Amino acid sequence: EPYFDNYELDQNIIFKNKCKFFQPVAKLEQRLTAYERNTNLQKFIFSTPFTKVCGGSSRGSIENQYNKKTILTTDHHFPYLKTRIKIKEKKEVILTPIEVAIEDVVTKLVKLDSAMANDRLTLLQMELQSCVATVVMAGPLEVAKTFLSEDNLSKYPVEHVSKLKLCFHELCTKCGAALRYNRKHMKEGQEQYHRHLEKSYRQFVRDLQLLFKV
């Protein structure tokens, strides 16, 4: 993956950021092969998490976690004869805490889909556990309580609340499908672990139902 140097001349500081190829989903779906997805690249993106409290530290509580997306457009397409290409355009997008939460849940959905599609059982189990059996106060359930509880709903735009709720409905459905996949493909000796995941999933769904009053 490319790296870009960001020079702050007044402070004599150089920041080196790792970027990922950026492409709208509609266009990315047109790149069917690995070759197409890794050539003719001109837009790149990197993220910078930040907060507006606690002295502006990069990480904070869920309700205070922002994310700045920086999209860079280069003069020429990668790969190119030169390894350094001038950046001709820079665009920044700030995600609010609830938008960061939506992105995180969508990422979990993508990872669950990918693990099942590529038959990666260990990864699937890890993703399932991070969704329904998180032991720290930073899992999807804590996200739901932070943004979708009755006391907090009015703090956020209606369209973002609706989208996050939809993401959680999809997450429940996807985790159910992942559990069925795991039951079918799990290795010998993993029965107890699977029962733990199933029990945690049922509790996860009950907690969300109470939160959403359904």
Side-chain angles (χ1 to χ4, degrees), residues 158-176:
V158 174
E159 62 272 21
H160 291 159
V161 169
S162 298
K163 188 170 184 179
L164 185 56
K165 280 186 176 180
L166 180 61
C167 286
F168 271 103
H169 285 301
E170 291 180 6
L171 185 63
C172 288
T173 302
K174 193 71 65 180
C175 285

Side-chain angles (χ1 to χ4, degrees), residues 39-52:
T39 57
N40 201 31
L41 314 180
Q42 194 176 19
K43 288 183 179 291
F44 301 86
I45 186 170
F46 66 88
S47 300
T48 308
F50 70 96
T51 62
K52 294 184 178 180

Side-chain angles (χ1 to χ4, degrees), residues 16-35:
K16 181 167 284 191
N17 295 299
K18 187 176 183 179
C19 298
K20 294 182 179 180
F21 168 53
F22 173 76
Q23 188 78 282
V25 175
K27 291 187 177 181
L28 189 61
E29 290 175 348
Q30 298 173 8
R31 294 173 176 252
L32 302 179
T33 66
Y35 175 80

Side-chain angles (χ1 to χ4, degrees), residues 187-199:
K187 299 176 183 178
E188 186 177 352
Q190 292 188 326
E191 294 81 6
Q192 184 175 351
Y193 178 59
H194 179 76
R195 287 194 294 270
H196 167 67
L197 289 175
E198 285 187 323
K199 181 180 178 180

Side-chain angles (χ1 to χ4, degrees), residues 1-7 14-21 41-46 70-76 78 83-89:
E1 294 180 342
Y3 285 82
F4 291 92
D5 293 334
N6 181 19
Y7 296 94
I14 299 176
F15 296 100
K16 181 167 284 191
N17 295 299
K18 187 176 183 179
C19 298
K20 294 182 179 180
F21 168 53
L41 314 180
Q42 194 176 19
K43 288 183 179 291
F44 301 86
I45 186 170
F46 66 88
T70 304
I71 302 171
L72 306 174
T73 304
T74 57
D75 257 351
H76 303 282
F78 276 96
T83 56
R84 285 181 176 268
I85 302 178
K86 183 179 179 181
I87 295 171
K88 68 176 183 180
E89 184 181 346

